[in-house]
Amino acid sequence: MKSLDIHKSEYLKQFENQVYGRNLFRTQEEERLDAPNEECGIFGLYSDNDLDTFFSQFGLFALQHRGQEACGISVLKDGKITNMKDEGLVLDVYKDIQEPETFMGNSAIGHTRYTTAGDKKKYNFQPFFAKNEYDQIILSIAHNGNLTNAKELKAELEAEGVVFRATSDSEVILRLIQKNLDLGLRGAIRATMEKN
């Protein structure tokens, strides 16, 4: 019996550092090229009427494979933005919503996180939002991807006194839009995109 255990352990050693492919007849390169290569999932919806919270939940659930570290949602209703984000899967985050009617509105954005930039801390969970002097959320964004000039833009904004709360490059977009809101929302977005 002991020889069988030795044989088994020797046999298993050959697989210790090997990536398990889905098809044993394919090379590692073929497996790598066919493997998931995802980034965060982003979902948005708009309607002239209020939408049930669960429409956004189903949209994010369909994107769960794109990010499983955290989930967040921002909803606009009657000019007020409500935001919720937390670590975990979509269903884990949505089950913590105590008053679903507060997340019913005519537009929503959602995000499932897969870290590509910034660390895995809660302050990097999206959607990001900006507040006004009355502590009301006035702008919320969700972003997927990486800014190639994020360090330079962040340094420029910090030199102007802008305070960052996250380490994700996505917050740079938010702060640029916020900085340019005097141009109106469309003008602020246009000015931000011209910097990227």
Side-chain angles (χ1 to χ4, degrees), residues 30-195:
E30 289 171 326
E31 281 294 318
R32 185 189 66 77
L33 292 173
D34 193 34
N37 188 11
E38 307 288 357
E39 292 181 355
C40 302
I42 295 178
F43 177 78
L45 57 89
Y46 173 82
S47 173
D48 288 332
N49 305 310
D50 281 353
L51 297 167
D52 193 295
T53 309
F54 296 103
F55 284 121
S56 57
Q57 179 180 354
F58 292 139
L60 286 172
F61 187 70
L63 294 172
Q64 184 69 83
H65 68 285
R66 301 287 304 263
Q68 299 175 1
E69 296 168 18
C71 167
I73 181 171
S74 286
V75 176
L76 175 68
K77 180 178 183 168
D78 300 326
K80 181 181 177 192
I81 299 173
T82 306
N83 179 281
M84 180 175 183
K85 51 190 171 180
D86 206 351
E87 187 173 30
L89 301 174
V90 173
L91 292 177
D92 295 331
V93 173
Y94 271 80
K95 75 179 181 185
D96 291 336
I97 295 176
Q98 299 297 320
E99 298 174 25
E101 59 277 355
T102 60
F103 286 89
M104 294 174 68
N106 69 316
S107 63
I109 58 172
H111 187 270
T112 58
R113 183 162 174 76
Y114 175 78
T115 302
T116 58
D119 55 34
K120 295 182 180 186
K121 302 286 187 198
K122 188 170 185 168
Y123 49 72
N124 281 326
F125 297 169
Q126 293 189 45
F128 286 122
F129 57 86
K131 292 183 173 184
N132 64 13
E133 61 272 13
Y134 304 108
D135 204 35
Q136 299 166 325
I137 299 174
I138 56 168
L139 174 66
S140 186
I141 68 163
H143 169 253
N144 181 4
N146 296 308
L147 295 180
T148 57
N149 60 344
K151 284 184 181 180
E152 296 84 6
L153 292 172
K154 185 175 182 179
E156 182 181 310
L157 289 167
E158 286 176 326
E160 295 173 14
V162 175
V163 176
F164 286 83
R165 292 174 175 79
T167 60
S168 172
D169 56 355
S170 301
E171 190 184 13
V172 174
I173 297 170
L174 174 75
R175 301 299 169 206
L176 280 168
I177 294 171
Q178 184 180 16
K179 172 189 167 191
N180 292 306
L181 276 177
D182 59 328
L183 302 172
L185 184 58
R186 287 183 184 185
I189 293 170
R190 186 176 300 113
T192 298
M193 292 303 107
E194 288 172 358
K195 302 243 345 148

